[in-house]
Each structure stands twice: as structure tokens, then as C-alpha cells.
Amino acid sequence: MSLKSDDFFFFVDKCSNLEIAPNSVEHAYLAIVSGDLDSAYKIFKSVDSPRAHWGEILVGIIKNKCITTFPTYFQIRNFFEIDTDFLIKNKKIDYVENLLGALEVFSNINQEVYKFAGRVMFENKLYAAALKYLEESKKVFYNDPELHFMLSKYYIKFKKYNEAYFYVNECLKYLPSYYPALLLKQQIEENGF
């Protein structure tokens, strides 16, 4: 199957020369983008791979708004953020909403999931949603240095340097040698904090 359209995002910037084998994981993701969730599920079910097993769970959530099989810690860590980004970029907002509706359950399996959601929202310039999920992440796993680093970057984006400085220091409290945070702290200090 050759893709002739640039109207969608498929993990690469330009899809026109991308070749997708029938009944592959990629074919299942193409079915998701096309709105054919039944075919996507059947394809994922026929493939034995960690990504395909996650794909079955993903389709169940976006189609039925429920979890029938619980994902593993590593499935959430490896695929949640990538697939949320994929769905946002393909304007599958109802699918994204259904996936985000599973965050509370996911957080019982992987307590970093709210942070993952916050990061993907931030990278897609959905800043209000990013802050919402980063704040939720603080309730679940406050001692996560990366979370505080991300909050600092968020507040720098909006020129709220007091908040940015607070969170970069929180990050360094938990991971004093985290080089990106040390650089960020220096940047904040040099910009007149």
C-alpha cells in the first residue's frame, strides 16, 4: 500500500513515498486515521508485538471508551505519548479525549502518565491542557525531577520567571546534577531573575 496523501501525519513529515505492508502495525494505524477502528483492531490482534498489543488496548479505549485489557507500565511509557501526539496531529480529537479519559486508570499502572500527557500537550501548543496535566502529575508523583523541569520550561514560555525558578530548583532538589536543569537555572538567573 502506497500513501499518496499529505493530508495526514504518519510519524514522518512527508508520507507520499511511504510504503505500508498489508496487515502490519502501520496498516492498523492507517486504519485508525481513516476511522476504521474495527479493521485496526483486527490487524493489531493478528500481529504479535508489544506495539500491536498496545494497539488493541488503544482501539478499545478510543472506540468503546473503556479498558477491557489493562496496559503494562512499559506499554504506557513507550506508546501513550507517541500515540497521543499521532492522534492530535491527525485531528482525531474525539479519540484523544477518550484516551485522556483513561489517565486515572493508567496512573495506577504508571504514575508518570499525567506528565506524558502534559508534555505532548505542551509540544502541540495546547498550553492550558499541558498545565492541567502537569499539575495533576504533581499530585501523583511530586518527586519527579523531570516534571519540575517541564513546569519550569512551561513558566519560562509565559515569562513567569518566579515560578520557573521555583520549579527548576525543585528539579535540582531531587536531581542536583541534572545538567539541562542547571543550564535552565543559569538562563533564568542571567535573564534578570
Side-chain angles (χ1 to χ4, degrees):
M1 172 184 294
S2 179
L3 304 177
K4 301 294 182 200
S5 174
D6 286 326
D7 294 337
F8 56 92
F9 171 82
F10 205 74
F11 305 110
V12 293
D13 290 335
K14 186 156 176 61
C15 297
S16 60
N17 293 322
L18 191 63
E19 295 286 328
I20 294 181
N23 298 315
S24 64
V25 168
E26 295 83 3
H27 184 197
Y29 277 95
L30 183 58
I32 289 172
V33 171
S34 301
D36 188 356
L37 298 177
D38 291 333
S39 292
Y41 185 82
K42 287 176 188 171
I43 295 167
F44 281 133
K45 192 95 173 134
S46 73
V47 178
D48 185 21
S49 77
R51 186 69 185 248
H53 297 307
W54 161 260
E56 291 176 55
I57 296 166
L58 173 70
V59 170
I61 292 168
I62 61 180
K63 181 178 178 187
N64 302 317
K65 301 179 189 175
C66 67
I67 301 173
T68 55
T69 303
F70 290 96
T72 67
Y73 173 91
F74 289 107
Q75 286 173 324
I76 294 168
R77 187 188 78 181
N78 294 339
F79 307 124
F80 171 83
E81 196 171 343
I82 293 168
D83 285 354
T84 304
D85 184 61
F86 172 76
L87 295 171
I88 290 169
K89 285 182 170 49
N90 281 294
K91 300 175 178 62
K92 294 295 189 181
I93 304 308
D94 51 336
Y95 295 177
V96 173
E97 289 173 352
N98 292 349
L99 189 55
L100 293 174
L103 287 178
E104 187 175 343
V105 173
F106 287 174
S107 73
N108 291 315
I109 300 165
N110 184 325
Q111 58 189 356
E112 293 180 276
V113 73
Y114 285 109
K115 176 182 69 179
F116 301 153
R119 181 174 29 230
V120 75
M121 296 301 158
F122 185 83
E123 293 302 322
N124 282 285
K125 298 178 176 43
L126 300 167
Y127 299 119
L131 183 59
K132 171 187 172 183
Y133 292 117
L134 293 174
E135 288 292 328
E136 197 63 36
S137 185
K138 285 186 343 188
K139 296 175 189 173
V140 177
F141 187 30
Y142 187 86
N143 298 348
D144 182 349
E146 185 182 28
L147 166 65
H148 296 292
F149 180 76
M150 291 168 57
L151 280 162
S152 186
K153 286 178 60 177
Y154 172 87
Y155 284 114
I156 285 173
K157 171 80 178 155
F158 294 100
K159 299 180 173 53
K160 294 185 175 186
Y161 297 110
N162 286 334
E163 291 89 342
Y165 197 69
F166 171 80
Y167 283 111
V168 79
N169 282 319
E170 285 293 284
C171 172
L172 292 168
K173 180 169 76 176
Y174 297 109
L175 190 59
S177 61
Y178 187 45
Y179 187 69
L182 292 169
L183 289 178
L184 193 60
K185 181 176 181 177
Q186 180 181 354
Q187 175 191 352
I188 295 167
E189 292 171 344
E190 288 173 357
N191 285 321
F193 172 73

